[in-house]
Amino acid sequence: MARGGLRGLIDRTAERRAADRPTTDRPTTDPSAADQPAADHDGGRCRCELCAAPIPDDHRHLLEPAVREPRCACRPCALLFEHPPAEGDRYRLVPDRRWYLPDFALDDATWAALDIPVHMAFACHDSAEGRTVIRYPSPAGAVEAAVEPAAWAAVEEANPVLRRLAPDVEALLVNRTRDARDHWLVPIDDCFALVAVLRSHWTGLAGGQDVWNEVGAFFAELRRRAKPMPMPVGLSKGVPR
């Protein structure tokens, strides 16, 4: 049985990439193993990474900002972090809302000014660095784009909704592949999942048809789950409910 949830997808991606490496290049031990709670999966069952309780595939995540990694959480553990984040909190509860932004203002000229080398990207305010960080998915993982601050400021000025993103745990996701011009407000774990899809299915120089089929399926599922952004925008600061 396949391991479920976002952690299962990330783990399977890492395992596939490790299996593709030459044997002489494989480490004898996983350097991140010491940071992983014991028995986070058991016989294909996903487990809470705080208390090890079994949880369904559809569960909440906590973000550990220090390492920018999601942690699977059972409902009781997730509830512990529903309060606004406080200084010293190790984890942040990832929101579970998804908004489709049909009126988002980002034309081709503005996109070109951002100078992002691919046609997908996600932007999230990094509270530790005190700035918005724009990354894009690649076969090697999430790569930070060197966007000029003035170019991004123009996007923010045209789209006040960006100032309402919950820091660290919520992102603007842009899809401009092929004929798409779609913009979403999503939990940051959706962005991690998209990166894992690209890493696990990419082949050759252009990725291969399989990866683009999977990317298309990812955005089709996102559209099914997302709601159109209500107007006027009435979003509260912090982690939304």
Side-chain angles (χ1 to χ4, degrees):
M1 180 188 301
R3 287 165 294 181
L6 176 62
R7 173 61 66 183
L9 177 60
I10 293 173
D11 287 350
R12 292 194 299 275
T13 300
E15 288 168 1
R16 173 173 173 171
R17 293 178 66 82
D20 289 342
R21 290 199 300 267
T23 303
T24 55
D25 292 340
R26 295 182 199 166
T28 54
T29 59
D30 181 355
S32 64
D35 298 328
Q36 302 298 327
D40 59 333
H41 292 87
D42 181 14
R45 298 183 67 187
C46 196
R47 288 186 171 271
C48 176
E49 295 188 69
L50 270 70
C51 71
I55 52 179
D57 288 352
D58 186 14
H59 54 261
R60 300 293 295 274
H61 291 100
L62 301 171
L63 182 76
E64 189 173 0
V67 293
R68 294 193 180 98
E69 287 191 3
R71 305 295 185 191
C72 300
C74 64
R75 179 170 174 76
C77 287
L79 288 174
L80 294 175
F81 295 91
E82 277 203 324
H83 58 76
E87 185 177 354
D89 279 354
R90 180 177 178 182
Y91 298 109
R92 299 278 307 279
L93 180 64
V94 177
D96 59 357
R97 68 175 182 174
R98 292 167 177 84
W99 297 113
Y100 178 59
L101 309 176
D103 299 318
F104 195 85
L106 182 60
D107 59 21
D108 291 350
T110 305
W111 174 259
L114 296 176
D115 199 24
I116 297 172
V118 300
H119 299 293
M120 293 182 289
F122 55 95
C124 180
H125 183 78
D126 189 311
S127 59
E129 297 191 17
R131 65 184 179 94
T132 297
V133 178
I134 298 98
R135 298 183 176 90
Y136 57 88
S138 81
V143 179
E144 181 173 347
V147 174
E148 289 293 332
W152 181 250
V155 177
E156 287 188 326
E157 182 66 26
N159 298 280
V161 66
L162 292 176
R163 303 190 187 105
R164 304 297 186 106
L165 293 174
D168 303 314
V169 291
E170 202 166 37
L172 168 74
L173 177 59
V174 179
N175 175 29
R176 296 174 63 89
T177 56
R178 299 178 180 176
D179 296 327
R181 295 294 184 271
D182 293 326
H183 309 90
W184 319 80
L185 186 157
V186 298
I188 192 65
D189 48 11
D190 282 6
C191 303
F192 294 147
L194 177 60
V195 172
V197 166
L198 222 71
R199 294 187 69 186
S200 60
H201 293 280
W202 189 279
T203 57
L205 295 177
Q209 189 58 45
D210 182 46
V211 71
W212 298 116
N213 289 343
E214 293 294 331
V215 168
F218 172 91
F219 282 109
E221 175 64 12
L222 178 56
R223 182 178 286 275
R224 185 189 70 80
R225 300 181 68 186
K227 298 178 181 179
M229 170 63 75
M231 297 298 289
V233 177
L235 306 179
S236 60
K237 293 183 179 180
V239 177
R241 297 179 182 273

